[in-house]
Amino acid sequence: MPLSAERKTEYFERMKSLMSTYSKCFIVEIDNVGSMQLQQTRIELRGRAEVLMGKNTMMRKCIREYIEENPGSPVEQLEEQCRGNVGFVFTNGDLGEVRQVLESNVRPAPARVGAVAPCDVIVPKGPTGCDPGQTAFFQTLQIATKITKGQIEMTNDTHLITKGERVTASEAAL
């Protein structure tokens, strides 16, 4: 649903006031970040920094308008960074302190089908907790297994997902 003209104007005014009020800014990528996780981050940053999310085209347009009003501003470097699922964290405080809060709110997430893997996934060898009837599942993924004490055990570490690849249904299930 498109934003109304008044909401856009409100957003532009807010972003411009943040760019002029705060001297420092973080660019945060929020792929695979839930709303509750983002809300917890906002709560922890209250009083120290402000988080601003928005549509990339609107953010770029707002930055361009701000640069026209304030030529030579260091804000123009932000325009090229508005690619993908990003947001801004504006602050006047200590960048190290704000960064620590942002990093403390990073949570590992399970792989989802169709998502692009942000990092390599290596499954360690050892017991899986699966019953022996599920050996076919591991065979389709070409993972060497043996049955020990009534459960499937992986015989060696397996490089399951490579960074940048799409996650398949069977990889996500494992």
Side-chain angles (χ1 to χ4, degrees), residues 12-25 52 59 61-67 70 73 75-76 78 88 90:
F12 276 55
E13 289 171 6
R14 178 151 187 255
M15 186 163 182
K16 285 178 184 176
S17 74
L18 289 173
M19 286 190 284
S20 56
T21 307
Y22 294 102
S23 60
K24 301 169 190 164
C25 177
L52 181 73
M59 289 192 287
K61 185 177 179 186
C62 188
I63 291 168
R64 265 186 246 118
E65 286 181 12
Y66 184 82
I67 293 167
N70 305 299
S73 173
V75 172
E76 61 186 285
L78 297 177
F88 297 112
F90 294 97

Side-chain angles (χ1 to χ4, degrees), residues 74-147:
V75 172
E76 61 186 285
Q77 298 169 8
L78 297 177
E79 188 179 353
E80 320 88 60
Q81 302 302 320
C82 291
R83 300 275 182 265
N85 205 358
V86 296
F88 297 112
V89 178
F90 294 97
T91 185
N92 278 329
D94 180 32
L95 285 176
E97 189 179 304
V98 174
R99 181 185 180 134
Q100 196 171 20
V101 171
L102 292 172
E103 287 178 346
S104 71
N105 281 294
V106 173
R107 308 267 186 281
R112 289 198 295 254
V113 178
V116 176
C119 62
D120 287 356
V121 176
I122 298 170
V123 181
K125 66 180 182 180
T128 61
C130 297
D131 63 276
Q134 296 177 329
T135 54
F137 175 73
F138 291 96
Q139 287 173 345
T140 57
L141 289 171
Q142 298 173 346
I143 298 173
T145 59
K146 65 180 181 180
I147 297 172

Side-chain angles (χ1 to χ4, degrees), residues 31-34 36-38 40-41 44 101-110:
D31 282 335
N32 305 317
V33 177
M36 189 63 186
Q37 186 177 351
L38 191 57
Q40 285 299 122
T41 306
E44 286 187 42
V101 171
L102 292 172
E103 287 178 346
S104 71
N105 281 294
V106 173
R107 308 267 186 281

Side-chain angles (χ1 to χ4, degrees), residues 153-172:
E153 185 176 313
M154 293 173 58
T155 55
N156 46 18
D157 292 346
T158 307
H159 191 267
L160 191 65
I161 304 170
T162 306
K163 180 180 179 175
E165 288 184 353
R166 293 226 176 260
V167 179
T168 64
S170 54
E171 290 170 340

